[in-house]
Amino acid sequence: MSAAINSPVEPTTPVGKAADYLDQRTKIGVLTKQLVRKVFPDHWSFMLGEIALFSFVVLIFSGFFLTMFFEPSMELTEYHGEHPAQLHGQLMSVAFASTVEMSWDVRGGLLMRQMHHWSALVFVASMVVHMMRVFFTGAFRKPRELNWLVGTALLILGLAAGFTGYSLPDDVLSGNGLRITDGVVKSIPVVGSYMSYFIFGGEFPGEHIIPRLFTLHILVVPALILALIGVHLFLMVLNKHTQYPGGGRTDKNVVGVPAVPVFATKMVGNFFIVFGVLALMGGTMAINNVWNYGPYDPSLVSAGAQPDWYMLFLEGSLRLMPGQGTEWVIFGYTLSLNVLIPAVVIPGLLFTFLFVYPFLEAKVTGDHREHHVLDRPRNRPVRTGLGVAFLTAFIILAVAGSNDLIATHFVMSLNLITWVLRVLFFVGPVFAFWVTKRICLGLQRKDRELVLHGHETGRIVRFANGEYIEVHRPVDEQERWIRVSYDAHRPLEIAPATDARGVRRKGYRSDRRWQRISRFFYEDRVEPVTPAELAAAHAHGEHDEIEAQRGTPELVSGSASGEREH
C-alpha cells in the first residue's frame, strides 16, 4: 500500500508521455517550471520590444519565401516577361529580372516582397522606439549595461540587414545607394581604395557585389541577429524585468503577472496583431516597385532618390556637408573630408554616444547599486535633454536627406533649405536640450507642489472672518509614492588637491574633470519632498477646519478673487 502511494504517477496522455520522456533525459521540467512562474510587469511600453521581435519573425518567414525565387546574379539577360510592358526587351541583370518576375509572375510574390519590406521598416522603427523607452527611463543602469550594448549592436545589425536587403534588386535606386557606399569606403584614408576593391571585387560596380550582399543578407546578418536576440532575452530573464515606479515596487521585487498563462497569452495575441498589420500593409501599401526605377545603369542618377527612413540620416549628413575647401591632397593622397566627416565621423559619434552613455552616467553619478525600478524622465533632466537633443539631430539629418523633395513640393530654394538645416544641425540639439531640461525641472517643481499642497479643485471657500482660501484635494498614497520616490543625485565630491603634508594628490586632475562633468548633470536639481516637509505642510490644519465647518452658515462656498493657495 505504501509503495503504491510513493510511486510516481505515470502520464497517460500522448503529450504527457512525450513531456515525461523529454524531462527524464534533459531535466527541462525544472527550467520550464521556473519560466512558468516568472513574473513580468504589466505595461504597454514593454510590448515595443516584442513588436521588434515579431517583426523579425515575419522577416524570416517572408525572406525564406523570397529566397526560393530570387537569383543573386549580376549576369546580364534580356527581359521577355509579359508584365510590366515597359521593361520588355530591356537588358538587365538576372537579379533585377528575378525580382520583377517574382513580383508579377509568382503567386503571392508581390505580397511577400512588400510584407518583407514593411517588416524591415517596422523592425528598425520598433527597435529605435524601444531603445528610446529604455534610455529615457534609465533601464540601462546596473545590472543591464551589457543588455544595452547588445541592443545597440542589434540596432546596427538591423541597419546592415536593411541596407544589404534593399540593395539586392539591382535597380537604379539601390545601385545609387551602392555608389554612395563605394564613395564612403574610398574616403577612408590610406586603406579606402583597397577596401572598395575588396568589397566590389574590382572597380565599381564589378560582378560580385550582389552575390556577396545576398550571403550577408540571408546568412551572416540574420545569424548574428538571432544570436544577439538570444543573449538579449537571456539577460532579460537573468536580471529580472524592470518595472515602473509605484506603491510597493522596489529594487528587490517584481510586481506583475505570471508568465503563463497571462503574459504568454498577451504575447501570442500581440504576435497575431503585428502579423495581421504587416500583412495588411503588404497587401494594400505599395513599396519599392523596382520596375518604376528600371535596372541599374552606372551612368544614370535619378532625382528624388531617398533610401529607407533609417538611412536618411546618413543621406542628409552627406547633403549638408559643404564641398568647397573640404577635399585636400596630402603627399599625393586625396583626403575627402566632404565624405569622410558626414558619412563616417558623424555616424560614429552618434553610435559612440549610445555605447558609452550608461558607463558615463554611472561614473558621474557614483551610483553602483542595482536598479530595477525605472526613472520618470522628468526626474533625470539632463539625461532626458541629451536624449531629445540626440533625436533632434537625427531628425534634422533625416529631413536634410529629403531637401530636394521639400524644395520641389513647397517651391522653395534648395540652397536656402540646405543652409537652414546646416544651422539647425548645430543650434537645434542645443536648444532642444535646454528646453527639455527646463521642462523637466518645471515638472519636478510641480510635483513638489502637488505633494505638499494637493490638487487644485477650483472651489473657493470663505470663513466667518471673511478670509478666502482655495480647497485643495490631497494626493493619495500611490500618487505620492510616484512623485517622491526618486534620488536627486548631487555632483561628485572629490578629495582635496593636496594631502595633509601639502603633497599634490595623484589623479586630482582626472577627478576634477569628472567632477565638472558631474556638475553638468546634477548641479541643477529639485530635491524630492521629505517626510519633514510633508508633515510641516499638513500641520496648519486648515483643510480639517474646512471639513469640520462644511455646511455651517458661517462658511460660504463659491467663486471669489483674492484666493490663496496652501
Side-chain angles (χ1 to χ4, degrees), residues 252-267:
K252 299 185 181 298
N253 67 1
V254 178
V255 179
V257 296
V260 178
V262 181
F263 191 76
T265 304
K266 289 185 176 183
M267 286 188 64

Side-chain angles (χ1 to χ4, degrees), residues 160-454:
F163 172 76
T164 55
Y166 77 69
S167 299
L168 291 179
D170 200 29
D171 60 299
V172 171
L173 185 62
S174 63
N176 287 338
L178 286 175
R179 188 50 165 162
I180 294 174
T181 303
D182 177 54
V184 171
V185 172
K186 286 181 177 177
S187 71
I188 301 175
V190 183
V191 299
S193 58
Y194 299 100
M195 291 178 62
S196 174
Y197 195 88
F198 171 77
I199 291 172
F200 291 94
E203 288 295 331
F204 177 87
E207 299 179 352
H208 307 287
I209 187 61
I210 297 299
R212 292 176 178 179
L213 289 177
F214 184 71
T215 303
L216 290 173
H217 184 68
I218 70 164
L219 180 63
V220 179
V221 177
L224 292 175
I225 291 178
L226 281 172
L228 289 183
I229 287 177
V231 174
H232 187 75
L233 295 177
F234 171 77
L235 291 175
M236 184 193 71
V237 174
L238 181 66
N239 295 325
K240 298 190 304 183
H241 205 292
T242 55
Q243 56 187 343
Y244 283 93
R249 301 175 184 180
T250 67
D251 289 327
K252 299 185 181 298
N253 67 1
V254 178
V255 179
V257 296
V260 178
V262 181
F263 191 76
T265 304
K266 289 185 176 183
M267 286 188 64
V268 173
N270 192 22
F271 169 75
F272 284 111
I273 291 174
V274 172
F275 182 85
V277 170
L278 291 175
L280 181 65
M281 295 173 69
T284 60
M285 302 180 185
I287 189 171
N288 198 26
N289 294 331
V290 295
W291 49 89
N292 291 333
Y293 310 129
Y296 180 59
D297 184 344
S299 64
L300 299 178
V301 177
S302 61
Q306 274 74 30
D308 286 332
W309 73 267
Y310 48 83
M311 298 298 291
L312 267 179
F313 79 100
L314 184 59
E315 175 80 11
S317 182
L318 286 165
R319 295 189 182 193
L320 291 186
M321 184 68 184
Q324 187 174 4
T326 57
E327 193 169 277
W328 302 344
V329 179
I330 303 176
F331 300 115
Y333 292 93
T334 301
L335 183 61
S336 301
L337 296 179
N338 55 339
V339 178
L340 181 67
I341 291 178
V344 179
V345 175
I346 290 180
L349 291 175
L350 292 177
F351 282 104
T352 300
F353 170 82
L354 294 178
F355 275 113
V356 306
Y357 185 83
F359 307 97
L360 173 65
E361 184 174 299
K363 179 71 174 179
V364 300
T365 304
D367 184 7
H368 303 290
R369 301 170 299 167
E370 288 192 3
H371 294 277
H372 302 288
V373 177
L374 299 172
D375 289 327
R376 300 174 77 203
R378 66 180 63 183
N379 294 333
R380 295 292 181 264
V382 173
R383 179 207 295 160
T384 305
L386 289 174
V388 173
F390 180 92
L391 291 175
T392 301
F394 181 86
I395 292 172
I396 290 172
L397 292 178
V399 172
S402 301
N403 59 352
D404 54 341
L405 295 180
I406 296 173
T408 55
H409 281 67
F410 296 97
V411 194
M412 299 174 64
S413 169
L414 178 64
N415 291 332
L416 176 62
I417 294 172
T418 302
W419 273 104
V420 169
L421 292 173
R422 284 173 179 171
V423 174
L424 281 178
F425 178 73
F426 293 99
V427 177
V430 177
F431 181 74
F433 170 81
W434 179 80
V435 170
T436 304
K437 180 181 176 182
R438 302 317 303 175
I439 291 175
C440 289
L441 292 173
L443 291 173
Q444 285 183 275
R445 295 188 182 96
K446 182 64 175 179
D447 284 346
R448 282 185 59 88
E449 290 295 318
L450 289 175
V451 172
L452 292 174
H453 305 299

Side-chain angles (χ1 to χ4, degrees), residues 103-125:
S103 303
W104 288 88
D105 300 331
V106 175
R107 188 181 298 274
L110 183 58
L111 173 64
M112 287 296 173
R113 273 197 64 230
Q114 296 189 155
M115 279 186 64
H116 192 74
H117 203 125
W118 281 118
S119 299
L121 300 183
V122 173
F123 175 58
V124 180

